[in-house]
Amino acid sequence: MIRQKIVAGNWKMNGSKESVSLLVDGLLKMEGSSAQVVVAPAFPYLSQVSGMLSGSHIVLAAQNASDQPKGAFTGEVSTSMLNDFGVKYVLAGHSERRSLYGESDAMVAHKVKAILAEELIPMLCIGETLEERKSDKTLEVCERQLNAVIELVGIDAFENIVIAYEPVWAIGTGVSASAEQAQGVHESIRKYLSTFSVSVSQQSQILYGGSVKASSSQALFAMPDIDGALVGGASLDADEFIAIIKAAG
Ligand code: PEP
């Protein structure tokens, strides 16, 4: 099955009005790509970036959302607010949210449910720590993180969920999983999904994330079960990010 590649840039808590404007200007100079290009600015810049991307082939993502629809949740941002600003994808369960802000598997699952309820596409991040990898728990962790979501929203909802396999030891460290290592896990994730639904497993877009650079992207994208990338640091440089997008075809 042919699955469209997705190359998504997670800008994390970086940028200013000026730098965001320069970055988007740089990306808009790129010619069309067969990959779906996605950028996830910090919340305050969503409106600015949404306006700049209007009519372009690049779509907007948010880095997080509340699991609650509205009300007395100071500091939170709802999925309907994100929808208002033209957001299409929302990250859920990024490892920084899980490890630094204590988001449990159950909380992540509720966020996925809230994102789907607004007809936005969750980008569900899963992945193991270095310790878990060393103790051979990579698949156990990925399956546990997937199970929490499958149990809450059902397997069919995965037709509208993008999975990002992001080994925690590779995020922001400069140490990417090798293409073969990543392919091995992606293949296992797809096989696991097939135990619930073969068609969902074949359709699911599974992105790799963790220190992706232009130089490593070609080998990653050549793998049969790697359907694109979630890119952090390298997405803050327009030329580098464009080179990654070009590697996706
Ligand atoms: C990320 O934040 O999802 C990520 C993969 O970061 P980096 O590319 O910087 O490792």
Side-chain angles (χ1 to χ4, degrees), residues 9-240:
N10 172 16
W11 296 349
K12 311 195 188 196
M13 196 171 72
N14 291 299
S16 62
K17 277 201 266 189
E18 195 185 349
S19 72
V20 158
S21 176
L22 285 171
L23 183 50
V24 176
D25 270 344
L27 297 178
L28 289 173
K29 290 197 184 101
M30 175 189 62
E31 285 176 14
S33 156
S34 65
Q36 171 73 82
V37 181
V38 180
V39 292
F43 288 140
Y45 305 113
L46 282 174
S47 173
Q48 178 189 348
V49 176
S50 180
M52 291 182 78
L53 295 182
S54 165
S56 83
H57 53 281
I58 303 175
V59 302
L60 193 60
Q63 298 173 18
N64 187 23
S66 174
D67 62 324
Q68 300 294 328
K70 64 188 242 183
F73 300 99
T74 302
E76 290 291 286
V77 173
S78 73
T79 52
S80 65
M81 292 169 181
L82 299 176
N83 210 351
D84 242 2
F85 283 92
V87 164
K88 187 165 172 207
Y89 293 86
V90 185
L91 304 193
H94 189 281
S95 74
E96 287 152 17
R97 301 295 319 170
R98 291 181 191 262
S99 68
L100 302 175
Y101 299 96
E103 290 190 10
S104 63
D105 293 343
M107 168 62 83
V108 172
H110 281 281
K111 289 189 173 200
V112 167
K113 189 176 178 191
I115 296 162
L116 288 168
E118 199 58 40
E119 295 185 1
L120 303 176
I121 303 172
M123 229 174 237
L124 171 63
C125 304
I126 60 173
E128 82 287 2
T129 62
L130 187 56
E131 209 168 81
E132 289 162 340
R133 171 162 283 255
K134 282 184 180 157
S135 38
D136 228 5
K137 289 198 172 132
T138 297
L139 296 181
E140 186 185 318
V141 170
C142 291
E143 289 174 11
R144 190 200 73 223
Q145 293 174 338
L146 285 170
N147 283 343
V149 180
I150 294 170
E151 278 162 22
L152 190 71
V153 301
I155 191 66
D156 291 343
F158 275 70
E159 285 176 6
N160 298 307
I161 295 175
V162 171
I163 296 169
Y165 168 59
E166 298 208 301
V168 179
W169 49 271
I171 297 180
T173 59
V175 183
S176 173
S178 69
E180 292 74 19
Q181 265 175 330
Q183 164 59 24
V185 180
H186 283 227
E187 190 181 1
S188 300
I189 292 171
R190 204 177 296 289
K191 210 182 263 176
Y192 184 65
L193 293 174
S194 77
T195 64
F196 297 89
S197 162
V198 171
S199 72
V200 164
S201 76
Q202 287 171 347
Q203 279 175 52
S204 287
Q205 289 157 301
I206 308 177
L207 316 186
Y208 168 76
S211 297
V212 174
K213 295 188 184 67
S215 55
S216 57
S217 53
Q218 204 135 25
L220 286 163
F221 296 155
M223 293 293 164
D225 290 295
I226 298 182
D227 305 311
L230 179 53
V231 185
S235 70
L236 293 168
D237 178 315
D239 291 339
E240 181 80 9

